[in-house]
Amino acid sequence: MCVDNSRLSRNDNLAESLIVTQKIRESGVEIVYVMYPVDPNTSAGMLQENILYTFTAFEKRNLRLKFMNGKRTRFKEGYWIFAGVPKGYKKQKEGKSTILIPTEPRATYIKEALEMYANGILSNHSDVYRYLKEKNITSNSPRNTTGRIHYTIVSILFKPRTIYFYAGYFYRPSR
């Protein structure tokens, strides 16, 4: 028993929502929608349920787009909207929001290293590692008591999301 079909499946893919519903019914469970009762044993009831799922999927896609547009706007205004902080930056509270502040000279050196890599001046990850090591860029991890750069910093820099950030693009592969 659920209020409506949007409570049964939060997926915005109509086909997947219908498959979930079908599997629930095949297991012997009767689905009862409180708000919009349908009879899935009739063709009219099946049509009604499909229409309800179509509207739900449409509404969920629109809500996601509005949410992402709002995040994109906040990001362009300088607010940090993701978990974690890119290397060379730190979070700073501004009212109820958080903005990113570059920690110099670290941010500049990291950006230079990535630009040199993109332009072919530094040919591989090891070259980027050596460049950052020459600039005395160390891990800012509280566990790093040696003051050395860890190769994991370089591997983190080459994740697609990080590269897009340093290049000035808003990009979220998982969305």
Side-chain angles (χ1 to χ4, degrees), residues 1 3 17 59 68 81 86 96 101 105 109 115 118 121 141-142 152 161-162 165:
M1 180 175 255
V3 176
S17 296
E59 181 182 37
M68 289 305 294
I81 55 174
K96 293 182 180 179
I101 304 294
Y109 289 143
E115 286 173 354
I121 298 167
S141 168
T152 53
R161 186 167 95 190
T162 308
F165 168 77

Side-chain angles (χ1 to χ4, degrees), residues 27-46:
S27 69
V29 176
E30 178 185 354
I31 300 172
V32 178
Y33 303 114
V34 175
M35 197 175 243
Y36 307 105
V38 297
D39 182 6
N41 300 320
T42 65
S43 59
M46 289 170 57

Side-chain angles (χ1 to χ4, degrees), residues 141-160:
S141 168
R143 291 175 288 187
N144 181 15
T145 56
T146 61
R148 285 188 261 154
I149 185 172
H150 293 289
Y151 197 75
T152 53
I153 290 177
V154 176
S155 62
I156 289 169
L157 289 178
F158 284 93
K159 288 183 177 178

